[in-house]
Amino acid sequence: MIRQCRKSDIDVIYFIVNEAAKSYERFIPTDCYHQPYMSMAELQTEFKRMTFYGWEENGTLAGCMGFEPVKDVTLIRHAYVLPDWQNKGIGAMLLKKLIQLTKTKRLLVGMWEANEGAARFYKRHGFTIQLYKDELLKNYWNISARQIETSIVMELRK
Ligand SMILES: CC(C)(COP(=O)(O)OP(=O)(O)OC[C@H]1O[C@@H](n2cnc3c(N)ncnc32)[C@H](O)[C@@H]1OP(=O)(O)O)[C@@H](O)C(=O)NCCC(=O)NCCS
């Protein structure tokens, strides 16, 4: 079941993000990776900026995706499914829900450029890699110069 996340979900989202990030640490430039990948303070800030949706399985969350309208676009942020629950269609269901909710013409998602699995996942859902990704990352995200350098952006036009 997909549902909007509540403040009381923050501990389980913290767990999901940091467990799922462990499995993809090989894609992250070593100078950008740390444990935990996202601190509780950072997650609390992100929670205020955007709406998280989660997939609930047997009364607990197994995956989450953040939805953040910014200026004239919408961003997908922090898409994570617990390693044991990956490749079962949970990410696809969350993504379809966020696509449905998107009111802007353009839906953007950023990822580490080495994360080819994530790029394949979004491509399967109609997203395409953007050439002017630095401009997009500077305009719509609030991330470091190093992360801009090592990330790509994909877009879905509605
Ligand atoms: C990327 C991520 C969110 C996708 O979530 P997911 O639940 O694994 O996604 P799905 O199960 O819908 O799809 C993943 C693959 O499983 C396959 N799959 C889907 N349903 C399936 C099923 N019932 N049985 C077997 N395989 C299935 C799909 O073909 C898909 O293949 P693809 O990657 O080539 O598109 C998840 O893998 C993750 O958390 N990765 C680590 C963090 C990350 O990279 N986040 C993205 C940052 S932008």
Side-chain angles (χ1 to χ4, degrees):
M1 172 184 100
I2 292 177
R3 65 167 175 83
Q4 193 174 324
C5 297
R6 308 178 273 267
K7 258 190 168 174
S8 55
D9 294 317
I10 201 150
D11 288 335
V12 67
I13 293 175
Y14 175 82
F15 178 74
I16 292 169
V17 169
N18 288 305
E19 279 305 302
K22 272 183 205 162
S23 70
Y24 91 156
E25 70 178 73
R26 64 188 183 280
F27 306 128
I28 304 174
T30 44
D31 55 333
C32 296
Y33 187 75
H34 34 80
Q35 265 297 357
Y37 180 61
M38 188 183 290
S39 69
M40 182 54 94
E42 193 185 339
L43 180 59
Q44 278 164 344
T45 306
E46 296 299 85
F47 220 74
K48 285 185 197 139
R49 281 167 63 115
M50 66 194 71
T51 310
F52 278 86
Y53 285 82
W55 175 264
E56 195 175 288
E57 191 73 42
N58 303 326
T60 185
L61 293 177
C64 63
M65 262 186 211
F67 178 83
E68 185 183 14
V70 181
K71 300 178 186 172
D72 57 329
V73 307
T74 304
L75 307 181
I76 292 178
R77 306 290 313 276
H78 313 304
Y80 293 100
V81 173
L82 282 173
D84 285 353
W85 290 94
Q86 288 175 14
N87 302 319
K88 296 181 197 306
I90 294 174
M93 285 185 280
L94 283 167
L95 184 58
K96 282 180 189 154
K97 172 74 179 177
L98 298 200
I99 292 171
Q100 270 174 18
L101 289 172
T102 300
K103 294 201 169 65
T104 58
K105 280 212 171 73
R106 300 162 70 201
L107 179 58
L108 304 178
V109 60
M111 68 207 74
W112 300 107
E113 66 184 349
N115 194 353
E116 288 170 9
R120 195 176 53 240
F121 168 75
Y122 289 105
K123 186 169 176 232
R124 218 185 261 280
H125 293 277
F127 286 72
T128 54
I129 291 177
Q130 298 301 295
L131 290 179
Y132 301 103
K133 57 103 179 173
D134 285 16
E135 286 75 4
L136 294 170
L137 288 163
K138 281 178 199 154
N139 194 17
Y140 297 116
W141 277 261
N142 185 12
I143 56 174
S144 69
R146 178 71 175 131
Q147 191 168 351
I148 290 174
E149 191 188 326
T150 51
S151 295
I152 61 165
V153 175
M154 296 182 77
E155 175 178 314
L156 179 77
R157 289 220 173 217
K158 287 199 83 184

